[in-house]
Amino acid sequence: MYIAMNRFKVHPDHEEAFKKRWLDREVLLKTVHGFQSFQFLQGPRYEEYVLYASHTVWESYEAFIGWTKSEQFRAAHANAGEGKPLTVGPPIFEGFQVLQNITN
């Protein structure tokens, strides 16, 4: 299992536009082999930014890499970087190989 996460520092003035961009998009992940789940997360609020994260769980690292090379990935990111910047800097990617997974 592999977890891919992007952290976003969102300008407080652009928070609603950022959320709308994520929540109104077409979700193509479900069509990719090895995809397990996705969470869009809102974190703590600071004076300079509000922390958000995208959290995706994959069957394996290879499945995640397959996503990054797919037509669905290109389509999902086709308009990235267009429009008014909503974040303080670029997203920060973090990838994790799952060593233990305990479920209920």
Side-chain angles (χ1 to χ4, degrees):
M1 188 179 299
Y2 186 77
I3 294 175
M5 182 180 290
N6 278 296
R7 293 175 183 258
F8 303 88
K9 294 178 178 179
V10 178
H11 290 283
D13 294 345
H14 304 312
E15 191 175 5
E16 289 307 313
F18 181 81
K19 287 194 293 191
K20 182 172 176 44
R21 185 178 289 175
W22 276 88
L23 297 172
D24 291 352
R25 78 193 191 295
E26 181 182 5
V27 178
L28 301 172
L29 290 166
K30 293 189 265 184
T31 66
V32 179
H33 173 74
F35 167 74
Q36 292 187 342
S37 68
F38 171 82
Q39 295 79 36
F40 179 50
L41 309 171
Q42 181 179 359
R45 180 176 302 277
Y46 301 99
E47 189 173 318
E48 305 84 23
Y49 64 88
V50 181
L51 186 63
Y52 282 84
S54 65
H55 179 270
T56 313
V57 180
W58 295 91
E59 180 180 283
S60 64
Y61 175 72
E62 292 75 22
F64 168 71
I65 293 301
W67 154 248
T68 65
K69 295 179 178 180
S70 70
E71 287 298 320
Q72 295 95 323
F73 180 89
R74 282 188 280 287
H77 295 85
N79 298 323
E82 292 184 3
K84 177 172 58 172
L86 305 178
T87 61
V88 178
I92 298 169
F93 175 79
E94 298 172 314
F96 301 91
Q97 188 69 41
V98 175
L99 300 178
Q100 183 180 42
N101 182 40
I102 301 171
T103 61
N104 189 4

